[in-house]
Amino acid sequence: MTCTHRDGMTRCEAPATVWLVAPDGEWNPGGHECRPHAEAVTREYAEKLGEPWTFVPIDELGNRR
């Protein structure tokens, strides 16, 4: 599984290692990203939306998703 982050028309080719989680605890559909992009997204959402998004390592998810 690769990172779903896009920069314009270019998609990241790095392996997805984390899953984005919304402030309400719901898994973001299609929210699997590489850690650097997940960190950037959570920082941007905190700054622009005032929302505390987080992420969880994919290998720790098991069947919780």
Side-chain angles (χ1 to χ4, degrees):
M1 178 168 32
T2 58
C3 179
T4 58
H5 189 84
R6 290 187 179 274
D7 184 13
M9 296 299 292
T10 305
R11 182 175 175 177
C12 178
E13 295 295 325
T17 57
V18 298
W19 203 280
L20 291 174
V21 180
D24 63 2
E26 292 293 320
W27 304 105
N28 181 355
H32 46 280
E33 299 195 349
C34 64
R35 187 174 183 105
H37 281 129
E39 289 173 351
V41 167
T42 55
R43 220 175 13 256
E44 180 180 0
Y45 287 0
E47 290 171 7
K48 293 182 178 178
L49 303 175
E51 295 181 351
W53 284 65
T54 58
F55 51 87
V56 176
I58 289 174
D59 61 355
E60 292 180 13
L61 291 178
N63 293 324
R64 295 189 300 173
R65 195 168 36 89

